[in-house]
Amino acid sequence: MGCGSSNAAGSYQSDVNTMWNQVRRTVDSSTKTNDKKLVIRRSGWKTVRIFVSSTFRDFHAEREILIKEVFPDLRVWCEKRRLHLVDCDLRWGIPKDTTTEETLRTCLGEIDRCYQDNVMPFFLNLTSERCGWIPNQMEVPPSIRSDYRWIQGLSVTEMEIMHGAYRKDNFNSLFMIRDSSFLQEVPKEHHKDFVDVNPIAPAKLQMLKQMLKDRFRKDQVSFYNCEFDGVNNQGKVEFNGLEKTLGKMVYEFFQRRITEQYPLEDGVLDPYQQAKEAHESFMKNRSASVLGRTNILEQMKEHIIGIGVDVPLLLLGGPGTGKSSIMARVADVTVAKALTKEIPGGGEQGWHVFYHFVGAVPGSPNLEMTLKRLLRELGEVNDTTMPKDLESACQVTYAVLSNPNTKPVIIIIDALNQFDECKEATVLNWLPSKLGPQIRCIFSMIDETPQHQTLHSRPNKPLEVYVTPLDMSSREAIVQETLGNYQKRLDAEQMASLLSKESSQNPLWLSVACEELRVYGIFEKLSDKINSLADGLLNLLEQVLTRFEEENGGQLLIASLCLLECSCRGLLETELLNILGDEDNLMPGKNKSGEKGQEENREKTSEDISPLSAHKWARIFRALKPFLRPFGDSGEGRLDFYHRALSKAVRAKYFDNGQQNNSEISSDGIYNWWHTKLANHFEGVTNLERKAEEYPHHLVKINDKKRLIEFLKDWDVFHHYYIEAFSGELLALWRQASDTQKTMEECYLKALEVTKDDPKTNLEDLGLLYEKVARVLSQSNQLEGGFSLLEKLFAVEEELGNRPERMMVNYDLAALLSNAKFQLHDFIVKAMMPDLKPAIQHRMKALELSKDLKGEQFRFKRATSLTDLAFCLRNWIYLGGDNSMTPTESRKLFFDSIEEAKEIFKELGDQAQLGDCIMTEAMLRGTTDKQLALKLYREAEELIMQSCGEMSILGSRITINLAILFLKMGRDEEAYDHWQRGKVSKIMLKGIDHPSTQRVINSLNTPRMKRVAEKRAKEKVLL
């Protein structure tokens, strides 16, 4: 472009002086403001914009460092202070057909935007040996001259400096001036990229550098060096050392200035309020770009304002379909409408809106904290009455959401299927199947997940809305808005190329594609970059991962991805760093020294390995952060993938193709290698909770039964998994560790002998251990070992004085073992009487002792004993009893026991055990009135499925009891369906070899059930 007006070299300096005299006349004040401080108090989140000003060709390397390293690190730091960082990098984004006025307004208008958001722009200028474009008089429209007080002869970059920093004496501005000595090493053919050929340039640059030094504080004008580091395959010169010079100074300067301008609020924020603000920030951020979803939003609106709504609405769709953005828009609009009381049905107090985005902010996948925040916002609890654990939080929430007197509330939860894995998160026992009349719930989730199946299987089925692909106009608008946030724009041809890809109908694909374009720094090759973007979400993510490898750590990054993918529930940052610290044994196949790797390296202990350095980890984390769940500052949060799509991409790229480290290991071998690495790490972990989450998972994956048995034999591990009602996880692990449950019995009985002979063992503790192991053996049908421990338990208690509370427990255990023994019979037959009678006697002894025991714990035990007694009495009545108790006496005792148990469970608010009670009653009623029995079973089923789900002991029992009843009623099709469901749950809970599982399998093999199966098979063929 044109350059100055003088023909004589000697006049260049005079021209420059003239320009700067004009500049001085436009400075807002001759008084320096450097010593003044701008402190902005705020509530909630705030946006911070950093404008990057420089010529382009000569600062490609610096801008790459800034965009891909410095600003991402600064963004993480800002987020901890509830600040959104937006970097304004205009290397590309102004289409080639743009007018001069548009180009100039884009550059200077972005600085205006910085003034609007931050009062004083956060401004960064990079200067060296080029001036850049100097528009001639004809190229600058009068409107630009007027609006920005344009100085003729200044370059666009100089005008950015004037407007963004110089005239205002901006204390948030930083000027980084690169020393030219690096040019001595740069090949001559590349000098044109770094040295301005315009003859006025030397004088202009000398004056600019001097004026900046005179105008600003020393810490605002810094000089830095860099070293030539070759030319990359795109023909761009690369430099070495920029991270430690430019990167460090830029990061520290803006960190300091942002801290001063936006200080943290004094005092510690209430954690629930802090969580709410974080969710509000996510809501505002995501709700901005929701296009082409009018029909879906209208359906959700109708649900909120509807009358007689007592079920939730589910927003369903696959990964990356834009569910979170839709939920954010619904939440944002609903909050605004609720504040102005525009939503009907809220009465004088109006509607309260609770919104929660699982996985979007640190701690958000924690269901317990979410429910407590909900209860707190509704004013149902305070710090004193806050539920103590997840179970009680679920019970209180259930009561609140089913109560017709609860204040009007609209609950919006995004990604319901991504809460931390636990029974309550899957079964949703906190959510009533029938909501209170003033409760509205909207949940989003991936369809066919366990949470979707749970809600869909309820008698009171939810409303379902599916997310459809984006139309073309919506896709274009999303691209324009996403790139527009960074002042970037595609021309018509580039936009058409991007949207011609089939996957552009997926919002996540579009988002990833736009981010790839945003960080791309070569304007002249942008169209080629767009064309090269892979179609297909997984393919694009694999492409992104390849870029990450090249730019951010290579094998360390691959290892991080593979470790996260193979982990059971994500990894703590400290765990990942400790594993990555073993860099000599980082990948499958041969390691750096040419050895086979992991197995031969096992002698290297954790003491020999230091965690991965912070510097190396920073590069990896910087790249992966957009794809990871936020995990907070405490170090307690897990690193895990935010989108399951990335998990699939990692499997496809690094596992399924067998391409790790160019090895020839099979896919199974690769999985085995990583699971072994994780198993070796967690073997030495001392935190039992974390060890129990991960260690056995990896041992099962690699089929290491020896180490798994050694782990399960440990008493601390036993206590961790033990559950009095049913230790399902412990028993499932033992089934993985051995082909027979006899192994478990032998291991525990031997360990008990060792414990008994240990002089440090307390007699009372030994008795408790006997009881727990006996219960576990009973649950696995190892009754012989259970009875032998029962004898020892009674002997221990005799030494301790036969305490009533412990004798009650012992008799309860004796009844449990006898109960399990008589249930070994496939049918109710006289042969079970020798075991049935002591089961009843022991129950009655336990109940007699429990009458005088006070406290909720003993009330619960009494109620469960009453239910179990009723179950035994039902069999006793069927068999006709004996002289000790007639059927009539038994029937009366049965109903008395059931009624008392019901009252206790209602008092305790235990829905599951109440369901068990009603189920037991239905079993006896079914002998005379099958329709009444069915009604009771359905009532019990709703309570049990709501509280426990089908994959539980009670869920399995109700399913099988319904199968038996349907069979008696001649409803074979329904009986067959329930037997099939019962078979699945029994195998999962107790294993295929357990007698109760075999009984279900035998029932499916009866002639009547086989006929149903044959009929179904024929119908399937016809279809």
Side-chain angles (χ1 to χ4, degrees):
M1 293 292 175
C3 60
S5 59
S6 175
N7 294 319
S11 68
Y12 290 147
Q13 188 62 54
S14 173
D15 290 343
V16 171
N17 290 338
T18 300
M19 293 174 211
W20 278 94
N21 285 333
Q22 293 180 53
V23 167
R24 291 185 185 95
R25 289 195 290 272
T26 65
V27 170
D28 288 355
S29 172
S30 60
T31 305
K32 286 200 170 190
T33 60
N34 278 333
D35 295 331
K36 296 181 180 179
K37 287 186 178 180
L38 177 63
V39 178
I40 298 177
R41 299 293 175 186
R42 62 197 163 93
S43 61
W45 287 66
K46 177 68 182 173
T47 296
V48 168
R49 295 182 179 277
I50 298 182
F51 184 90
V52 181
S53 166
S54 80
T55 46
F56 293 152
R57 286 163 52 192
D58 53 334
F59 281 103
H60 173 80
E62 280 86 348
R63 285 184 179 252
E64 285 286 289
I65 289 289
L66 291 172
I67 297 303
K68 295 181 179 178
E69 296 186 22
V70 178
F71 292 151
D73 287 350
L74 197 58
R75 188 171 291 114
V76 171
W77 176 82
C78 281
E79 285 172 358
K80 296 173 183 177
R81 305 175 68 86
R82 294 181 293 150
L83 295 167
H84 289 302
L85 179 73
V86 176
D87 51 275
C88 312
D89 169 37
L90 299 179
R91 280 184 293 181
W92 69 265
I94 304 173
K96 53 182 176 287
D97 56 352
T98 303
T99 65
T100 300
E101 180 171 3
E102 285 181 284
T103 300
L104 296 176
R105 281 203 180 276
T106 297
C107 296
L108 299 175
E110 185 61 23
I111 298 175
D112 291 338
R113 197 173 176 188
C114 295
Y115 274 112
Q116 291 166 8
D117 282 350
N118 305 122
V119 183
M120 274 294 186
F122 292 95
F123 182 92
L124 171 64
N125 171 259
L126 308 174
T127 295
S128 185
E129 308 306 314
R130 292 188 72 242
C131 296
W133 174 33
I134 305 173
N136 61 40
Q137 191 163 1
M138 297 299 294
E139 289 178 311
V140 183
S143 60
I144 296 289
R145 291 181 181 279
S146 172
D147 292 346
Y148 294 102
R149 294 179 288 175
W150 191 275
I151 306 296
Q152 187 57 42
L154 291 188
S155 68
V156 174
T157 303
E158 287 173 312
M159 274 307 302
E160 289 173 349
I161 294 171
M162 294 304 109
H163 185 50
Y166 196 89
R167 285 169 174 159
K168 297 282 188 181
D169 194 15
N170 181 2
F171 41 77
N172 287 337
S173 57
L174 175 65
F175 301 89
M176 299 297 298
I177 301 173
R178 184 176 61 199
D179 187 275
S180 62
S181 58
F182 73 93
L183 284 167
Q184 298 172 15
E185 302 296 327
V186 174
K188 293 291 184 185
E189 63 268 25
H190 290 284
H191 276 214
K192 64 182 184 300
D193 292 333
F194 296 94
V195 180
D196 207 317
V197 295
N198 192 328
I200 199 173
K204 283 176 69 65
L205 289 166
Q206 182 180 5
M207 177 65 82
L208 174 64
K209 294 171 187 178
Q210 186 59 50
M211 297 302 287
L212 293 177
K213 287 169 65 177
D214 292 343
R215 178 70 167 161
F216 297 99
R217 298 191 314 261
K218 286 184 178 180
D219 67 326
Q220 289 184 263
V221 182
S222 297
F223 292 80
Y224 70 97
N225 294 300
C226 59
E227 298 175 2
F228 173 69
D229 196 30
V231 179
N232 64 24
N233 55 14
Q234 295 174 327
K236 297 291 184 182
V237 169
E238 294 188 339
F239 295 127
N240 184 35
L242 288 176
E243 302 94 338
K244 295 178 181 178
T245 54
L246 174 94
K248 185 173 184 294
M249 285 189 279
V250 170
Y251 180 88
E252 291 178 351
F253 175 83
F254 286 112
Q255 186 184 60
R256 185 168 60 254
R257 289 304 313 138
I258 292 169
T259 298
E260 290 183 11
Q261 183 157 322
Y262 297 106
L264 284 174
E265 297 293 325
D266 294 334
V268 180
L269 269 179
D270 172 83
Y272 298 106
Q273 182 62 29
Q274 192 171 357
K276 182 179 180 180
E277 288 186 6
H279 284 286
E280 180 184 11
S281 172
F282 180 85
M283 174 186 75
K284 294 289 186 184
N285 183 264
R286 279 298 181 92
S287 66
S289 300
V290 182
L291 301 157
R293 304 302 193 188
T294 305
N295 290 338
I296 293 175
L297 293 170
E298 190 62 30
Q299 290 181 69
M300 298 169 95
K301 172 189 169 185
E302 290 301 318
H303 179 76
I304 289 172
I305 66 175
I307 299 172
V309 176
D310 60 3
V311 295
L313 180 144
L314 308 185
L315 182 67
L316 302 168
T321 50
K323 298 184 296 297
S324 293
S325 294
I326 296 172
M327 294 291 280
R329 171 60 65 83
V330 169
D332 197 16
V333 172
T334 305
V335 167
K337 298 286 187 185
L339 286 172
T340 55
K341 296 190 177 179
E342 294 179 56
I343 305 174
E348 288 192 12
Q349 61 184 325
W351 291 86
H352 179 82
V353 183
F354 176 87
Y355 44 89
H356 188 89
F357 301 90
V358 181
V361 302
S364 57
N366 185 316
L367 178 61
E368 181 180 340
M369 291 300 294
T370 303
L371 296 181
K372 288 180 176 179
R373 183 166 74 86
L374 170 62
L375 295 171
R376 176 82 167 262
E377 286 190 24
L378 291 177
E380 297 289 341
V381 298
N382 54 36
D383 291 340
T384 305
T385 59
M386 185 69 74
K388 63 182 184 298
D389 53 29
L390 176 56
E391 183 179 355
S392 54
C394 288
Q395 291 171 358
V396 176
T397 305
Y398 181 96
V400 168
L401 298 186
S402 57
N403 188 342
N405 297 316
T406 298
K407 67 186 290 186
V409 59
I410 298 164
I411 299 171
I412 299 168
I413 300 180
D414 178 47
L416 193 73
N417 58 293
Q418 289 188 27
F419 276 115
D420 289 337
E421 191 175 325
C422 62
K423 180 195 77 175
E424 291 81 1
T426 303
V427 176
L428 305 174
N429 58 355
W430 54 272
L431 182 69
S433 58
K434 183 175 181 180
L435 297 167
Q438 70 299 342
I439 310 293
R440 299 289 182 272
C441 291
I442 297 179
F443 306 130
S444 75
M445 64 195 73
I446 295 174
D447 50 319
E448 299 305 319
T449 52
Q451 290 76 9
H452 178 213
Q453 293 168 351
T454 293
L455 291 170
H456 189 73
S457 66
R458 289 184 174 182
N460 211 20
K461 296 189 183 302
L463 300 172
E464 297 183 349
V465 177
Y466 281 84
V467 180
T468 54
L470 291 166
D471 60 36
M472 189 62 74
S473 62
S474 300
R475 300 181 218 174
E476 184 172 350
I478 287 173
V479 173
Q480 289 173 343
E481 191 164 321
T482 302
L483 294 178
N485 288 331
Y486 299 91
Q487 284 298 313
K488 297 184 183 299
R489 193 151 43 105
L490 302 180
D491 61 32
E493 185 179 337
Q494 291 168 336
M495 181 70 79
S497 176
L498 180 66
L499 299 187
S500 68
K501 297 177 188 289
E502 185 178 349
S503 295
S504 65
Q505 64 185 319
N506 180 290
L508 180 56
W509 187 94
L510 268 186
S511 174
V512 174
C514 286
E515 179 64 14
E516 282 298 282
L517 296 177
R518 184 184 79 81
V519 300
Y520 190 67
I522 308 175
F523 172 65
E524 58 269 23
K525 294 185 178 180
L526 184 62
S527 295
D528 293 338
K529 177 66 176 179
I530 293 170
N531 293 332
S532 72
L533 292 174
D535 209 345
L537 178 57
L538 295 188
N539 295 334
L540 179 61
L541 287 171
E542 287 186 50
Q543 201 173 60
V544 172
L545 294 177
T546 299
R547 177 174 71 80
F548 285 174
E549 287 176 40
E550 294 169 354
E551 296 178 356
N552 298 282
Q555 290 192 346
L556 280 169
L557 184 132
I558 297 173
S560 300
L561 291 166
C562 293
L563 289 165
L564 289 175
E565 173 56 30
C566 288
S567 69
C568 182
R569 299 186 182 179
L571 296 172
L572 299 175
E573 186 176 26
T574 53
E575 294 167 349
L576 188 56
L577 294 182
N578 284 332
I579 299 172
L580 293 175
D582 186 9
E583 293 187 66
D584 292 333
N585 187 25
L586 198 60
M587 298 291 293
K590 291 187 177 182
N591 56 28
K592 292 179 182 177
S593 54
E595 298 171 355
K596 289 185 178 179
Q598 193 156 295
E599 289 304 315
E600 295 183 10
N601 245 2
R602 280 289 302 277
E603 67 273 9
K604 184 183 279 190
T605 65
S606 58
E607 287 77 15
D608 302 320
I609 303 169
S610 299
L612 186 70
S613 69
H615 173 69
K616 290 181 179 179
W617 170 240
R619 294 184 66 194
I620 300 165
F621 179 68
R622 185 186 301 127
L624 296 182
K625 184 182 179 297
F627 296 101
L628 299 177
R629 283 182 172 185
F631 64 101
D633 303 330
S634 64
E636 296 173 2
R638 312 286 168 78
L639 290 165
D640 200 3
F641 300 134
Y642 184 70
H643 277 287
R644 286 298 96 191
L646 185 65
S647 175
K648 292 179 181 178
V650 170
R651 289 199 299 271
K653 183 172 177 61
Y654 301 119
F655 290 88
D656 297 343
N657 298 329
Q659 294 177 346
Q660 288 195 36
N661 207 24
N662 297 317
S663 70
E664 297 179 358
I665 305 174
S666 67
S667 176
D668 288 343
I670 292 172
Y671 276 108
N672 191 77
W673 195 92
W674 288 109
H675 282 298
T676 299
K677 194 167 189 67
L678 284 160
N680 293 343
H681 170 77
F682 281 102
E683 184 175 25
V685 168
T686 56
N687 182 312
L688 181 56
E689 186 173 339
R690 276 299 289 145
K691 188 170 185 174
E693 284 179 339
E694 293 286 341
Y695 185 50
H697 168 78
H698 301 295
L699 295 178
V700 168
K701 290 291 185 181
I702 62 178
N703 198 31
D704 192 336
K705 295 184 177 182
K706 182 179 178 182
R707 279 202 280 176
L708 183 55
I709 288 173
E710 287 302 312
F711 173 70
L712 294 173
K713 281 164 54 178
D714 184 273
W715 287 126
D716 288 335
V717 172
F718 174 85
H719 291 307
H720 175 82
Y721 287 116
Y722 173 79
I723 298 173
E724 183 177 317
F726 186 69
S727 304
E729 194 172 356
L730 178 64
L731 295 175
L733 287 172
W734 272 108
R735 288 197 295 273
Q736 296 284 351
S738 175
D739 297 330
T740 170
Q741 289 289 327
K742 200 70 179 171
T743 303
M744 178 184 74
E745 180 183 6
E746 291 170 356
C747 286
Y748 283 146
L749 291 180
K750 284 180 183 177
L752 280 170
E753 286 301 312
V754 173
T755 302
K756 184 190 74 172
D757 294 338
D758 187 343
K760 297 178 182 177
T761 301
N762 178 285
L763 192 59
E764 185 173 352
D765 291 341
L766 181 63
L768 290 172
L769 205 50
Y770 281 152
E771 180 213 337
K772 289 182 177 182
V773 174
R775 288 187 187 277
V776 170
L777 293 179
S778 170
Q779 293 163 9
S780 65
N781 213 46
Q782 303 302 308
L783 301 181
E784 185 179 340
F787 277 113
S788 70
L789 290 177
L790 181 65
E791 291 180 16
K792 295 178 180 181
L793 182 57
F794 274 110
V796 166
E797 192 52 45
E798 188 172 356
E799 284 190 57
L800 293 170
N802 290 332
R803 298 162 296 174
E805 66 276 11
R806 289 305 304 166
M807 289 302 292
M808 182 201 76
V809 171
N810 293 354
Y811 281 124
D812 176 78
L813 177 58
L816 179 74
L817 289 163
S818 296
N819 198 74
K821 193 172 181 183
F822 79 68
Q823 287 190 75
L824 292 175
H825 297 274
D826 288 339
F827 304 99
I828 303 175
V829 293
K830 283 284 185 183
M832 66 169 53
M833 288 291 278
D835 298 307
L836 178 58
K837 189 169 184 176
I840 294 172
Q841 290 170 341
H842 291 315
R843 286 282 175 217
M844 294 180 74
K845 288 179 180 178
L847 286 166
E848 184 64 29
L849 288 165
S850 71
K851 284 193 304 186
D852 300 322
L853 298 175
K854 307 297 182 184
E856 196 172 286
Q857 174 190 355
F858 294 112
R859 293 278 288 160
F860 176 82
K861 283 189 175 293
R862 178 171 177 79
T864 55
S865 287
L866 286 164
T867 306
D868 292 335
L869 174 62
F871 176 80
C872 294
L873 289 170
R874 175 256 184 183
N875 294 302
W876 184 265
I877 293 165
Y878 186 87
L879 293 172
D882 66 9
N883 292 334
S884 63
M885 189 188 304
T886 66
T888 302
E889 293 170 330
S890 305
R891 184 176 288 271
K892 181 179 184 307
L893 182 56
F894 175 94
F895 286 114
D896 288 345
S897 300
I898 285 292
E899 288 307 313
E900 185 183 350
K902 280 186 190 176
E903 288 302 315
I904 295 173
F905 288 133
K906 286 178 182 177
E907 174 193 320
L908 297 175
D910 195 317
Q911 302 291 314
Q913 293 301 324
L914 179 60
D916 187 20
C917 237
I918 296 169
M919 175 169 57
T920 303
E921 180 182 357
M923 292 169 70
L924 184 60
R925 298 285 189 189
T927 59
T928 56
D929 189 338
K930 292 181 177 58
Q931 287 300 329
L932 176 58
L934 180 57
K935 180 182 176 184
L936 290 170
Y937 274 138
R938 289 303 192 197
E939 183 182 348
E941 181 184 36
E942 184 172 351
L943 290 168
I944 290 169
M945 294 304 180
Q946 171 79 45
S947 302
C948 309
E950 191 163 319
M951 296 302 160
S952 63
I953 291 297
L954 288 178
S956 179
R957 277 186 59 200
I958 189 67
T959 302
I960 291 166
N961 281 332
L962 276 165
I964 295 169
L965 180 62
F966 284 133
L967 199 63
K968 290 177 179 178
M969 297 174 76
R971 294 160 65 168
D972 288 13
E973 294 271 350
E974 290 165 282
Y976 178 84
D977 289 336
H978 281 75
W979 282 125
Q980 286 288 3
R981 287 165 52 193
K983 175 185 171 183
V984 172
S985 61
K986 283 291 185 184
I987 290 173
M988 177 182 159
L989 293 165
K990 296 198 171 184
I992 198 164
D993 296 324
H994 195 279
S996 63
T997 308
Q998 288 300 311
R999 281 198 294 274
V1000 175
I1001 293 171
N1002 292 339
S1003 297
L1004 281 165
N1005 287 328
T1006 60
R1008 285 170 65 180
M1009 293 299 99
K1010 281 186 175 180
R1011 282 196 291 273
V1012 175
E1014 290 167 3
K1015 178 187 172 189
R1016 296 276 178 91
K1018 289 178 182 177
E1019 290 172 349
K1020 190 173 182 181
V1021 170
L1022 290 173
L1023 289 172

